[in-house]
Amino acid sequence: MAQIIHSMKQITFLLFVLCSHLATAQNNLRVEPMNWWVGMKNPKVQLLLQGDNLRGATVTSSQAGIQIQQVHNADSPNYLFVDLLIKANAKPGNYTLRVQKGGKLLHKIEYPLLARKSNSALRPGFNSSDVIYLVTPDRFSNGDSSNDVVKGMKETSLNRAAMYDRHGGDLQGLINHLDYMKDMGFTAIWNMPVQVNDQAKESYHGYSITDYYQVDPRFGTNALFKEFSEKAQAKGIKTIMDVVINHCGDGHWWMKDLPFKNWLNMDGKFVSTSHRRETAQDPHASAFDKKLETDGWFVPTMPDLNTRNPFLGTYLIQNAIWWVEYASLGGLRIDTWPYSWKEYSAAWAKALMTEYPNFNLVGEEWSSNPIIPAYYQKGQKNRDGFVGELPSLMDFPLQSAVSEAMRGNDKDWGQGLNKVYEVLANDLVYANPGNLVIFGDNHDMSRFYTQVKHDVDLLKMGMTILLTTRGIPQIFYGTEVLMANPNSSEHGEIRGDMYGGWAGDTKSAFTAQGLSPAEKDAQAFFKKILNWRKSNEVIHTGKLLHFGPADGVYVYFRYSAKGKVMVIVNKNTSSVDLALDRFAEILPAGAKVRDVLSSTPSAFVLGKTLQVPAKKAWVLEVE
Ligand code: CA
């Protein structure tokens, strides 16, 4: 039976592929976006039409509700860009567009304008009440082995033993484990990109997009991605799509026939970026260095997109909005934020936030100098007049501080826990530090457990800081069961297969089968603190008050009218008698506290000193 179902799935899938190809072959016309919606704040959409010899064609529609404002030719004769105005009185439905040339009808397009879901514009984005689970779809779980290898795609093999090959994980695998994520206490998922990456090799990671409007068939279909997002949402989990606006993959369909000569940076040839991201805000930067940073390519297989071309700029904005609307997203994470031309990326973010004012976007700016990410944040008042529009950035400065704090010696001046204290003391540089995404590790760096030299106590201390200080925590899949990369810092090893994600795995994070006592203990720790955090508003939005670390102990409070939480981090290998008079401004004498993470949380009254256990982050609710 299973075999028959399996074959049926395969046939259905093949039919799907065949039909989508037939559609292209019959009409010989690509139309993107494939649909739009009525009632968007921006009433305009620009269609990309690609087909043989379209130059000079007219595009008309006689239907009320829409108006074709302008048709633009491209450098290539095989493209048209059509400015469509959707009027306020437009009704959902198919609208007929006629593409004609020399009195001959070349194409008849039935263009769907859909109704929006209620409250679509006001959807909430991820925020500090959330904890984000970062997953690598190819490496999380193989829920559908029929899509492991897809005929016709450039990378044909599946090999779990090779760290840069496809391992077969997919959207069905993510859907299958939504309950696990919910039970653990995660309230948002950021999945690495799922759009088509038809690249010759290393296509598993998703950052070499070759079709912006289609999910890679090895992950599933657009419809399955939508299903994944909606099912997650039904369980209280927001989905955060990973988008790439700086570059595409060199296998992208438009690489064979670029719409415009200036579609790519550096005249379409590989010149490496300098990675000098500080050029964006450096008052002394040369034009040469600024250009090399934004126009240089990441790697030879990732052509750098020239978003100064207004058609490409609009294309990428519409693509992001299309996915938000189509798949009911709860946020976007934007790859390589400072590698795009900054005026464009700000306009991109502004367009998204204008459509969805309560939404959230987080950009990757990998720098441990907080001045650099702060420069891009919405609300920031920059002295050079640049207006950043991005609500959130990845807090790499705090990531490196927490990591160094756990590894460093607290007896050395400025080292150990002082690192965390000093980075948070810089929060004045941010327009909104509470909206930064904070993390111990991600898919591009050594796993946190490896960073802390496989010391479970240090892992728990570091993670407790991240789960109780200001910001929006993000945890990389597998950290909860002590996944590590002891052999190398190769990305392919860091993005290891989640325990239990494949049929036949002898070890499973989902069932606890085969987990060591330490792994079970770590998982229980995460489950406890995540679920506690979920309903604790003071951790989401309360103020942070911290005291300079002394003798290897860092103490801080989160507080608001709703409550007060005291966190004590003791890195010493022995217990410490902590004198409490230093905290009198926030901690009244004789306060009653409750150890919320203990298996038997009981309240006790504080005296003049408190004995803090060795190598522990203690979370105490002050009653
Ligand atoms: Ca699969």
Side-chain angles (χ1 to χ4, degrees):
M1 191 61 192
Q3 200 111 35
I4 295 169
I5 291 170
H6 178 86
S7 314
M8 285 296 288
K9 269 188 182 171
Q10 211 155 20
I11 289 163
T12 314
F13 176 72
L14 284 173
L15 275 173
F16 168 80
V17 172
L18 198 64
C19 289
S20 51
H21 278 245
L22 275 178
T24 317
Q26 270 175 4
N27 305 320
N28 198 21
L29 186 74
R30 181 191 299 270
V31 183
E32 291 179 346
M34 298 87 87
N35 69 274
W36 205 247
W37 289 268
V38 295
M40 300 296 282
K41 188 163 263 178
N42 177 1
K44 293 178 184 178
V45 60
Q46 184 172 70
L47 308 183
L48 172 152
L49 308 189
Q50 185 220 11
D52 283 347
N53 206 14
L54 297 174
R55 178 180 287 153
T58 58
V59 183
T60 55
S61 175
S62 55
Q63 275 168 284
I66 63 165
Q67 185 192 345
I68 292 163
Q69 295 193 306
Q70 203 176 343
V71 178
H72 308 264
N73 289 306
D75 288 343
S76 160
N78 305 316
Y79 292 85
L80 289 179
F81 290 85
V82 182
D83 296 343
L84 193 68
L85 175 75
I86 301 159
K87 296 182 183 170
N89 62 357
K91 300 235 168 350
N94 280 358
Y95 286 76
T96 308
L97 310 179
R98 287 187 168 76
V99 184
Q100 288 168 298
K101 199 164 158 179
K104 194 180 148 207
L105 182 69
L106 298 183
H107 303 281
K108 191 172 142 193
I109 305 163
E110 295 297 332
Y111 194 71
L113 291 180
L114 307 178
R116 301 182 76 183
K117 278 191 192 157
S118 64
N119 229 25
S120 176
L122 297 177
R123 72 185 63 223
F126 61 93
N127 56 50
S128 55
S129 71
D130 291 311
V131 175
I132 302 166
Y133 196 47
L134 163 60
V135 296
T136 305
D138 181 62
R139 305 292 163 90
F140 191 74
S141 175
N142 190 355
D144 180 0
S145 56
S146 74
N147 62 18
D148 289 356
V149 176
V150 173
K151 271 196 178 151
M153 301 202 79
K154 294 189 186 104
E155 199 171 8
T156 51
S157 62
L158 174 116
N159 183 4
R160 286 182 70 196
M163 68 168 87
Y164 288 112
D165 283 11
R166 288 258 170 188
H167 288 194
D170 48 37
L171 290 167
Q172 190 58 53
L174 289 174
I175 292 170
N176 293 347
H177 297 297
L178 283 171
D179 281 331
Y180 168 76
M181 299 179 211
K182 185 189 174 186
D183 289 347
M184 283 300 295
F186 295 106
T187 57
I189 305 170
W190 153 28
N191 55 273
M192 283 163 63
V194 290
Q195 290 131 304
V196 182
N197 272 234
D198 193 10
Q199 293 284 104
K201 57 178 186 173
E202 292 182 31
S203 66
Y204 79 97
H205 58 65
Y207 292 102
S208 306
I209 295 169
T210 59
D211 187 334
Y212 279 90
Y213 278 101
Q214 295 295 332
V215 162
D216 196 296
R218 291 161 293 195
F219 291 143
T221 59
N222 285 8
L224 194 65
F225 181 63
K226 183 182 160 89
E227 182 185 327
F228 155 66
S229 181
E230 288 173 350
K231 283 187 168 160
Q233 202 175 45
K235 293 180 194 296
I237 299 173
K238 297 169 180 131
T239 44
I240 303 169
M241 189 169 181
D242 203 331
V243 301
V244 192
I245 60 174
N246 177 65
H247 51 261
C248 61
D250 63 358
H252 194 287
W253 59 261
W254 60 36
M255 292 298 289
K256 288 178 189 147
D257 176 22
L258 292 173
F260 287 90
K261 292 191 187 94
N262 67 355
W263 202 249
L264 304 175
N265 284 321
M266 297 294 184
D267 296 323
K269 292 177 196 73
F270 172 72
V271 177
S272 180
T273 172
S274 63
H275 296 281
R276 289 190 189 278
R277 296 181 300 279
E278 59 271 35
T279 53
Q281 94 287 336
D282 174 3
H284 316 294
S286 63
F288 179 90
D289 284 348
K290 280 175 185 276
K291 183 175 161 59
L292 190 59
E293 201 280 323
T294 59
D295 293 13
W297 296 22
F298 222 71
V299 290
T301 53
M302 294 178 178
D304 208 73
L305 298 172
N306 176 20
T307 45
R308 289 179 185 84
N309 180 303
F311 300 99
L312 178 53
T314 300
Y315 182 91
L316 293 171
I317 289 170
Q318 290 180 170
N319 181 254
I321 292 172
W322 189 87
W323 282 109
V324 174
E325 198 71 26
Y326 171 78
S328 300
L329 300 178
L332 299 176
R333 177 265 184 188
I334 307 96
D335 191 50
T336 50
W337 186 256
Y339 291 85
S340 295
W341 181 50
K342 68 183 177 187
E343 281 77 11
Y344 173 71
S345 43
W348 181 94
K350 191 177 181 178
L352 266 294
M353 294 307 293
T354 303
E355 285 294 348
Y356 308 103
N358 301 330
F359 205 52
N360 212 351
L361 313 168
V362 56
E364 175 199 30
E365 162 41 89
W366 191 332
S367 170
S368 54
N369 174 3
I371 291 173
I372 300 180
Y375 182 72
Y376 295 101
Q377 197 174 26
K378 190 179 170 74
Q380 185 74 349
K381 291 186 174 59
N382 290 308
R383 288 187 184 171
D384 63 1
F386 172 72
V387 180
E389 296 284 352
L390 190 62
S392 175
L393 286 114
M394 291 290 175
D395 194 346
F396 282 90
L398 185 61
Q399 183 281 323
S400 60
V402 170
S403 181
E404 286 179 49
M406 292 303 114
R407 287 176 284 133
N409 186 342
D410 289 84
K411 292 197 170 62
D412 297 336
W413 178 252
Q415 299 302 304
L417 291 163
N418 292 291
K419 290 282 181 188
V420 175
Y421 176 78
E422 285 172 8
V423 159
L424 292 170
N426 283 332
D427 269 0
L428 192 69
V429 306
Y430 293 110
N432 185 1
N435 199 39
L436 299 171
V437 172
I438 62 177
F439 54 99
D441 61 2
N442 67 19
H443 56 306
D444 288 330
M445 63 174 71
S446 255
R447 282 181 166 274
F448 194 69
Y449 189 46
T450 296
Q451 291 178 36
V452 298
K453 304 189 173 98
H454 310 115
D455 180 324
V456 178
D457 294 329
L458 291 178
L459 175 123
K460 286 183 184 174
M461 274 186 269
M463 287 292 153
T464 302
I465 293 173
L466 291 164
L467 289 163
T468 56
T469 192
R470 59 78 175 142
I472 308 167
Q474 166 248 297
I475 291 169
F476 191 31
Y477 76 96
T479 295
E480 74 273 29
V481 284
L482 306 180
M483 277 174 62
N485 53 297
N487 302 318
S488 76
S489 55
E490 291 281 339
H491 286 175
E493 188 187 340
I494 290 162
R495 304 160 186 173
D497 292 349
M498 180 64 168
Y499 302 148
W502 278 253
D505 281 4
T506 52
K507 189 170 169 176
S508 172
F510 309 119
T511 63
Q513 180 203 341
L515 292 184
S516 72
E519 289 160 352
K520 280 185 192 165
D521 169 66
Q523 196 180 34
F525 158 79
F526 277 100
K527 188 172 176 176
K528 184 116 196 167
I529 193 167
L530 290 172
N531 280 290
W532 168 77
R533 191 191 187 282
K534 193 151 69 169
S535 57
N536 211 292
E537 215 177 307
V538 69
I539 299 296
H540 309 160
T541 53
K543 287 186 177 168
L544 170 67
L545 178 78
H546 65 172
F547 293 81
D551 305 322
V553 182
Y554 176 44
V555 177
Y556 58 91
F557 293 81
R558 300 296 306 278
Y559 68 101
S560 73
K562 295 262 167 72
K564 196 183 288 177
V565 171
M566 179 184 195
V567 181
I568 309 169
V569 186
N570 175 20
K571 269 185 69 202
N572 294 289
T573 49
S574 54
S575 69
V576 165
D577 287 322
L578 185 69
L580 298 176
D581 52 347
R582 190 153 58 103
F583 316 114
E585 68 191 86
I586 182 138
L587 189 67
K592 200 176 184 189
V593 298
R594 212 164 57 93
D595 175 4
V596 291
L597 300 184
S598 144
S599 50
T600 51
S602 57
F604 54 97
V605 175
L606 294 173
K608 283 191 168 22
T609 61
L610 177 64
Q611 195 180 55
V612 185
K615 289 183 81 180
K616 185 175 174 72
W618 223 1
V619 183
L620 303 172
E621 266 178 3
V622 183
E623 289 183 357

